[in-house]
Amino acid sequence: MAVLVNNLQEKTAVDDNTAAFLADAAGKVLSAAGYGGDAEVGLVFVDDDYIHKLNHQYRGVDSPTDVLSFAMMEGIPMAGGEEETILGDVVISLQAVGRQAKEYGHSFLREAAYLTIHGVLHLLGYDHIDEDKRKIMRLKEEEIIAALDFRGAK
């Protein structure tokens, strides 16, 4: 499985270890969902201004957010895409990660991992539109977070 990381911002430093850890977190979600080597997800790191524009353009919400998921598996399957399953992109505002990590009292890496997991679950069809779906999604998020080893991560 491929998790492609693209850093489109310069306000928050992202080292290779952090990018690899978050790619691994995304991979754990895909593995837990039964996807093998043919699955592909993009992780895109942006700043608040960038995600604000996306949030306004695609959701009609005129404010920044922490994470957006753009699923490729919705609608009619594309012809010729049998070799790889391109699930979509998860766009994360690293400025929001920093704020929320402080607000919730945990590390930047833990918050970034949580948002990565949350975004990938959206790509897989999970949602939190109502209380029952929110509980299911939250349980899955916590299960994956618990499977990560933050001790060796920077």
Side-chain angles (χ1 to χ4, degrees):
M1 95 192 48
V3 179
L4 308 173
V5 179
N6 194 3
N7 184 15
L8 301 180
Q9 58 81 52
E10 296 178 352
K11 294 180 180 175
T12 304
V14 180
D15 62 27
D16 291 342
N17 290 334
T18 299
F21 188 85
L22 297 176
D24 183 57
K28 284 187 175 16
V29 177
L30 297 176
S31 292
Y35 283 92
D38 63 336
E40 182 179 305
V41 167
L43 277 183
V44 184
F45 303 138
V46 300
D47 59 25
D48 281 346
D49 291 336
Y50 195 105
I51 208 162
H52 183 160
K53 290 173 186 165
L54 291 176
N55 204 25
H56 188 257
Q57 180 178 357
Y58 291 101
R59 296 181 62 228
V61 178
D62 192 16
S63 65
T65 189
D66 51 5
V67 61
L68 291 170
S69 298
F70 295 95
M72 294 292 291
M73 297 299 289
E74 297 176 340
I76 301 168
M78 294 185 341
E82 297 83 19
E83 294 171 16
E84 282 187 337
T85 304
I86 301 173
L87 297 172
D89 292 324
V90 176
V91 181
I92 300 172
S93 168
L94 295 184
Q95 287 179 293
V97 169
R99 281 191 309 276
Q100 291 174 187
K102 288 177 187 172
E103 178 182 340
Y104 300 137
H106 44 69
S107 72
F108 179 91
L109 189 61
R110 195 264 184 216
E111 182 64 16
Y114 171 78
L115 292 176
T116 298
I117 292 164
H118 184 88
V120 175
L121 286 172
H122 274 306
L123 295 180
L124 298 176
Y126 287 82
D127 208 338
H128 44 83
I129 195 86
D130 63 43
E131 187 61 22
D132 289 338
K133 289 181 179 182
R134 188 195 67 77
K135 285 179 183 177
I136 292 167
M137 188 171 184
R138 174 61 75 180
L139 186 64
K140 190 57 104 174
E141 289 165 348
E142 293 302 325
E143 177 185 309
I144 303 292
I145 280 283
L148 296 176
D149 182 7
F150 289 95
R151 293 170 297 176
K154 293 183 177 183

